[in-house]
Amino acid sequence: MNLLHVITSMSPENGGPAQGIRTLNNAMLGMGVIREVACVDAPDSAYLGKDEFKIHALGPAKGPWCYSPELIDWLKSNILRFDVVMINGLWLYQSYAAWKVLKKLKKETAGKPFPRILVMPHGMLDPYFQRASGRKLKAIRNWLYWKLIESKVVNDADGLLFTCETELLLARETFKPYRPKKEYNVGYGVATPQPYNDNLSLAFNQLCPGLNGSPYLLFLSRVHQKKGVDLLLNAYISLHKRLANKNMPKLVIAGPGLDTPFGIMIQQLLENEPEIKKDVFFPGMLTGDAKWGAFYGCEAFVLPSHQENFGIAVVEALACGKPVLISNQVNIWREIMDSGGGLICDDTISGIKNILEKWISLDAAEKVKESNCALNTYQQLFTTSKAASNFFNAFINHNPI
């Protein structure tokens, strides 16, 4: 089977969609799926040429819509070579270009074999983005764009692919007309991390020397208001004062964004709290051994987001055997709750405070049990082989998952 991914960018900075394509490659090859990617990256981008599948870089893209005239020409000449075409992401030129070419070719090849067309929104149909304060103009723009273009991309496709049940259900609330032919909950796979070794801890501890082997909770994501970092830190400060530091783990807030106005504000919350400030660490963005050392060394992972389509870092924590303390706005919360992989709360200060306090109150044996459940959750639901199997079923037009 030949599969074409159409995506805006394969840059590692593009986050989950690009990483997901890379992560599933070996599992897909094992199922006989040969994949190529069409994107609008510049051909001389430094991150290209390192993958085991072909990437056709048809940029550089121009403007906020990521327009590239090369994309349509390439799709016209090549798209019929594939059994399946997957459009990754919405709202940018690549989804419109693929839809336009496919619609034209379908008329010209009536009655002949034609690729199966699937769209993976990657959370871009979440109603959060239409309702969030500060996005009123963008919400109006998206509504107009939906009426003119994106509704056709979605409704003309053979099916939509979602990373979890919550994403699937939320997508039905956002725009009308919304009439996908089929909806598939295919999940999303995360590669099994490297086994623990002392070098991982060493790399992380060099960035947080004040931890000195103390228990800690880990937030590892972008330092942004959407991630609920301000709620987490305020809840931690309040609980720290009330418990008078008794059994209180330290807190590591890791990720890019500390130099933004929001990131600076977060750090300033501790300026008048010297006794608490010494227990909170801001190592910045963690990669490689330091990142995995942070995961393996923490007691639990915390992500109280106001919106999170999947949460790759959540699943990475589970894969390291670490329970996750997350809000019910992280879309995989149902799977986590049902499998016992962590604790769930509302995305409020009181909600976060409650699960922090609940975690702290557990004894050592209970925390070990939670860790075992976390690892089992990963192995049952979020491995690459599980996700690849679900994708393959959608490719061959099985019933919706």
Side-chain angles (χ1 to χ4, degrees):
M1 177 186 295
N2 293 322
L3 165 67
L4 174 66
H5 288 279
V6 183
I7 190 171
T8 298
S9 175
M10 285 299 290
S11 168
E13 295 180 1
N14 197 39
Q19 184 57 43
I21 292 173
R22 292 185 167 101
T23 298
L24 291 184
N25 192 56
N26 287 339
M28 287 291 186
L29 284 173
M31 295 180 173
V33 180
I34 308 300
R35 302 190 298 165
E36 297 181 28
V37 173
C39 60
V40 291
D41 291 310
D44 60 351
S45 298
Y47 45 82
L48 298 178
K50 301 177 182 179
D51 295 290
E52 297 176 350
F53 48 85
K54 290 182 180 178
I55 297 179
H56 305 276
L58 305 165
K62 301 176 182 178
W65 196 35
C66 295
Y67 170 76
S68 173
E70 301 294 328
L71 179 59
I72 277 191
D73 291 341
W74 188 91
L75 291 173
K76 286 178 180 177
S77 300
N78 290 274
I79 208 164
L80 294 180
R81 292 195 288 112
F82 298 93
D83 302 299
V84 179
V85 176
M86 185 189 300
I87 300 171
N88 290 266
L90 298 171
W91 307 115
L92 296 174
Y93 179 67
Q94 95 287 343
S95 62
Y96 167 74
W99 169 80
K100 183 177 180 180
V101 170
L102 288 163
K103 183 178 181 181
K104 183 176 186 296
L105 291 177
K106 200 163 193 175
K107 291 180 179 178
E108 295 175 355
T109 60
K112 297 180 181 179
F114 198 77
R116 179 162 167 74
I117 312 305
L118 299 169
V119 174
M120 192 161 193
H122 293 284
M124 296 178 189
L125 292 178
D126 195 304
Y128 169 86
F129 298 107
Q130 292 300 101
R131 300 170 182 171
S133 60
R135 288 185 55 90
K136 289 184 178 180
L137 290 178
K138 290 181 179 179
I140 293 171
R141 177 203 63 188
N142 287 353
W143 183 85
L144 291 171
Y145 192 87
W146 173 264
K147 292 292 185 181
L148 293 172
I149 296 175
E150 215 68 276
S151 61
K152 300 177 179 66
V153 175
V154 167
N155 295 330
D156 288 352
D158 294 307
L160 266 63
L161 308 180
F162 297 97
T163 60
C164 58
E165 180 185 3
T166 298
E167 184 196 358
L168 186 155
L169 296 174
L170 288 173
R172 297 173 180 174
E173 302 177 11
T174 313
F175 296 103
K176 305 296 179 185
Y178 176 77
R179 296 188 295 269
K181 293 183 175 69
K182 288 188 177 181
E183 297 168 305
Y184 299 89
N185 174 11
V186 294
Y188 215 50
V190 170
T192 302
Q194 60 179 308
Y196 174 78
N197 64 72
D198 290 342
N199 289 333
L200 305 182
S201 292
L202 180 62
F204 171 63
N205 289 332
Q206 287 176 341
L207 300 176
C208 289
L211 275 174
N212 297 321
S214 301
Y216 65 92
L217 302 173
L218 174 66
F219 170 96
L220 194 156
S221 189
R222 186 162 50 105
V223 179
H224 187 277
Q225 187 173 8
K226 193 187 85 162
K227 304 291 184 175
V229 197
D230 52 337
L231 303 184
L232 170 60
L233 190 50
N234 279 311
Y236 181 84
I237 291 170
S238 175
L239 194 57
H240 198 291
K241 290 178 178 178
R242 185 155 67 82
L243 296 179
N245 203 25
K246 183 180 179 181
N247 298 325
M248 194 73 185
K250 297 186 179 183
L251 176 64
V252 175
I253 296 177
L258 291 173
D259 57 348
T260 65
F262 179 79
I264 293 169
M265 181 274 290
I266 288 295
Q267 295 169 81
Q268 289 174 341
L269 291 174
L270 295 166
E271 287 304 310
N272 297 320
E273 307 289 350
E275 288 302 309
I276 301 174
K277 185 176 181 179
K278 63 182 176 58
D279 288 342
V280 181
F281 299 82
F282 297 96
M285 185 173 179
L286 300 179
T287 59
D289 285 356
K291 168 186 165 180
W292 294 113
F295 275 126
Y296 277 119
C298 72
E299 278 198 346
F301 177 82
V302 189
L303 185 65
S305 282
H306 298 299
Q307 190 276 334
E308 199 77 34
N309 182 53
F310 180 77
I312 288 178
V314 174
V315 178
E316 289 176 333
L318 295 172
C320 294
K322 301 302 174 178
V324 295
L325 316 181
I326 61 174
S327 75
N328 54 15
Q329 302 305 307
V330 177
N331 282 352
I332 57 173
W333 70 270
R334 286 187 172 89
E335 289 84 347
I336 303 297
M337 181 177 68
D338 291 345
S339 61
L343 305 178
I344 313 300
C345 68
D346 292 332
D347 57 331
T348 62
I349 291 178
S350 61
I352 298 165
K353 194 188 303 183
N354 286 340
I355 60 168
L356 292 181
E357 191 166 14
K358 185 173 181 180
W359 174 259
I360 292 167
S361 70
L362 298 178
D363 62 30
E366 289 170 324
K367 288 181 179 179
V368 169
K369 183 179 178 180
E370 290 283 339
S371 295
N372 291 335
C373 286
L375 182 58
N376 185 64
T377 298
Y378 166 74
Q379 293 171 338
Q380 294 297 317
L381 300 177
F382 299 119
T383 62
T384 53
S385 58
K386 174 70 173 178
S389 177
N390 290 344
F391 273 100
F392 190 79
N393 285 336
F395 296 160
I396 60 177
N397 199 20
H398 280 189
N399 292 328
I401 300 166

